Amino acid sequence: MSEDGTIRELDGQTVERIAAGEVVERPASVVKELVENSLDADASRVAVAVESGGKDGIRVSDDGIGMTEAEVRKAVQEHTTSKISDIEDLEAGVTTLGFRGEALHAIGAVSRLTVETRPRGGDRGTRLRVEGGEVTTVEPTGCPEGTTIEIEDLFFNVPARRKYLKQDGTEFAHVNDLVTSYALANPEVAVSLEHDGRETFATTGQGDLQSAVLSVYGRDVAKGMVAVDPGERGDGDDETDDLPEGPLDGVAGLVSHPETNRASREYVTTYVNGRYVRSATVRDAVVSAYGNQLAPDRYPFVVLDLSLPADTVDVNVHPRKMEVRFADAEGVAEQVRAAVEDALLREGLIRSSAPRG
Ligand code: ADP
Ligand code: MG
C-alpha cells in the first residue's frame, strides 16, 4: 500500500492481471471468447459446459480446425492471432469474431487453463496447460480433431475479482444469455449448453433460425414468430416490402407476436454482419415498430441480423466488443423500424400507423 504518495512502477505480473481484467470480467466473458474462437475455427459443433455458474469450471469443446503444437504454444502468448496481420486488415473490416489476439492469454493469466487440440487431418493432439500465466505443461495427447478448452479456478490469483462474482444463478444467467445469442446467430452450428451436468438447451445445427429458436426458447415462443425479410418476397409482387433506402443492405430474422413479450430486454437479440451486438439504437427501433401493441417496458422476442458494408460500422469500440457505432445511426433505426413494421403489418399484428415519408 502506497500511502506516502510515491509513484511506483507496477511489476509485470500486476500489469498483466490488471490488463486481463479488462477482457475477463466474469465467467460469461470467458465463455464469449471461447465460443467466438470455436466459431472462427469453422466448428459445426460447439459444446459449452459450466460448473457453479462458471466459477468452478468452464469447458468449451469444438470440432473446428484445431491447432498444431506450435500453433497452440503461440495462441496463448500475448497479442497473437491468426486472424489479422496488421492495421490495414483491421481498417479493411474484420470478418472473424476475434482479432485482438488477447483473449486466450488474458484468460490464462487469471485461471488454470487447459487446451487439448488436434488439427483436422492431424495425426496427434497436444495438451497444453497454463496456470496463472505460466505455461506448465505441453505434451502429446490422444484427442479428437478440434479443440477443447477448460478453465478451472477463474480468478484464483485475483481474489478481489473473485469476490465480486455474483451468485451462481446470476453468473449462469449471463452465460446462458451469451450462448443463446451465438446459438441463434449460427443456426448451422449445433450449440449446446450444460450447467452443473444438466442440459440447458441444444440446437440441432440444421441451419434454420426457426428451429434454433424452438430449441432455445421452446414451442410457445417459436410458434408465434414472424419472419422479417424485406425484399426477399416475390419479384414485382405487390406484397414485397422493399427496405427503404439507407445504410443497411438487409435486415433479416424473426420477431414475436406482440403478445409474446417479456419485461426484459434480454430477448431482443441483434447482430451486425453476424456479430452479436447490443445496440439501443436497434432495440428501440424494433420496439417502436410495435407501437402501442406493446406496453411500456415490455420487449418482444427478436432475432435480427443487420447487414451493412463493414466500413460503415465500427465494431472496435470496446474491448468486450459488444457495442457498435453506426456511421448513420438514424438511417439504421429507420430501416429497422420499417422492416419490422412491414412484417407485423403483413401478419395483421399491428395496425397501420401514420404513413411514412
Ligand atoms: P483472437 O481470437 O483475437 O485471434 P485469441 O487469444 O482468442 O485471439 O486466440 C488466439 C489464436 O488462437 C486465434 O487467432 C486462433 O489462431 C487460435 N485459437 C483459439 N481458439 C481456437 C479454437 N477453438 N480452434 C482453433 N484455433 C483457435
Ligand atoms: Mg478470440
Side-chain angles (χ1 to χ4, degrees):
M1 290 288 153
S2 167
E3 279 165 11
D4 56 1
T6 317
I7 296 179
R8 294 170 221 273
E9 193 171 333
L10 296 172
D11 65 82
Q13 219 180 32
T14 306
V15 170
E16 184 160 74
R17 286 182 199 168
I18 292 172
E22 297 284 314
V23 180
V24 189
E25 188 192 16
R26 59 185 346 154
S29 23
V30 173
V31 171
K32 174 175 193 288
E33 297 296 338
L34 299 182
V35 169
E36 289 194 346
N37 282 344
S38 294
L39 293 170
D40 281 344
D42 187 37
S44 58
R45 182 185 62 77
V46 180
V48 181
V50 300
E51 302 288 328
S52 312
K55 290 190 271 185
D56 290 347
I58 298 170
R59 191 179 67 241
V60 176
S61 190
D62 69 53
D63 63 351
I65 57 175
M67 287 175 274
T68 62
E69 182 189 319
E71 285 167 343
V72 65
R73 279 178 185 272
K74 264 213 207 106
V76 297
Q77 308 288 309
E78 207 169 358
H79 306 304
T80 49
T81 178
S82 56
K83 299 170 191 173
I84 60 170
S85 29
D86 53 31
I87 192 73
E88 278 169 29
D89 286 351
L90 193 56
E91 295 285 326
V94 276
T95 54
T96 52
L97 296 165
F99 56 83
R100 292 169 179 267
E102 62 188 2
L104 281 190
H105 179 77
I107 295 165
V110 294
S111 71
R112 293 183 237 275
L113 177 153
T114 308
V115 187
E116 284 195 356
T117 185
R118 178 152 74 93
R120 281 184 188 155
D123 52 7
R124 58 171 220 150
T126 305
R127 181 171 176 278
L128 178 147
R129 195 167 158 84
V130 182
E131 299 189 41
E134 302 293 324
V135 175
T136 56
T137 317
V138 185
E139 61 191 12
T141 185
C143 66
E145 290 178 1
T147 303
T148 296
I149 298 188
E150 190 152 0
I151 312 300
E152 295 158 276
D153 307 322
L154 183 62
F155 300 138
F156 78 92
N157 55 358
V158 201
R161 237 330 132 123
R162 190 161 173 100
K163 210 169 65 194
Y164 279 101
L165 293 179
K166 302 281 194 287
Q167 290 179 342
D168 294 2
T170 307
E171 293 300 337
F172 181 69
H174 287 283
V175 170
N176 190 6
D177 195 20
L178 237 298
V179 181
T180 295
S181 65
Y182 286 97
L184 294 174
N186 300 275
E188 71 293 349
V189 180
V191 178
S192 61
L193 174 62
E194 200 179 276
H195 188 206
D196 293 334
R198 268 205 309 272
E199 183 179 282
T200 309
F201 69 80
T203 63
T204 60
Q206 274 164 353
D208 69 298
L209 182 57
Q210 189 83 40
S211 66
V213 168
L214 178 68
S215 307
V216 172
Y217 291 135
R219 193 162 303 277
D220 285 348
V221 172
K223 68 172 194 253
M225 299 297 271
V226 173
V228 177
D229 58 352
E232 279 189 12
R233 268 154 290 117
D235 311 356
D237 181 338
D238 280 348
E239 300 252 313
T240 304
D241 309 310
D242 284 325
L243 199 61
E245 283 297 305
L248 299 177
D249 295 330
V251 181
L254 296 170
V255 298
S256 66
H257 190 289
E259 278 166 19
T260 312
N261 62 64
R262 297 285 186 273
S264 160
R265 298 178 177 135
E266 81 185 78
Y267 303 100
V268 180
T269 309
T270 52
Y271 308 91
V272 167
N273 295 336
R275 179 191 294 269
Y276 174 51
V277 299
R278 288 180 197 270
S279 164
T281 301
V282 178
R283 188 183 62 229
D284 292 349
V286 171
V287 167
S288 78
Y290 282 79
N292 58 13
Q293 294 301 306
L294 216 49
D297 298 321
R298 302 291 294 191
Y299 297 87
F301 285 79
V302 172
V303 186
L304 268 194
D305 187 21
L306 317 186
S307 39
L308 71 171
D311 61 358
T312 65
V313 57
D314 185 3
V315 294
N316 197 16
V317 181
H318 189 271
R320 285 194 295 275
K321 297 173 292 185
M322 301 269 255
E323 285 155 36
V324 285
R325 192 175 292 145
F326 297 107
D328 175 9
E330 257 177 60
V332 167
E334 176 49 26
Q335 284 178 295
V336 168
R337 193 185 65 78
V340 174
E341 194 175 83
D342 283 341
L344 295 172
L345 277 172
R346 191 184 71 224
E347 302 292 326
L349 298 177
I350 55 170
R351 252 162 303 184
S352 180
S353 60
R356 290 196 306 275

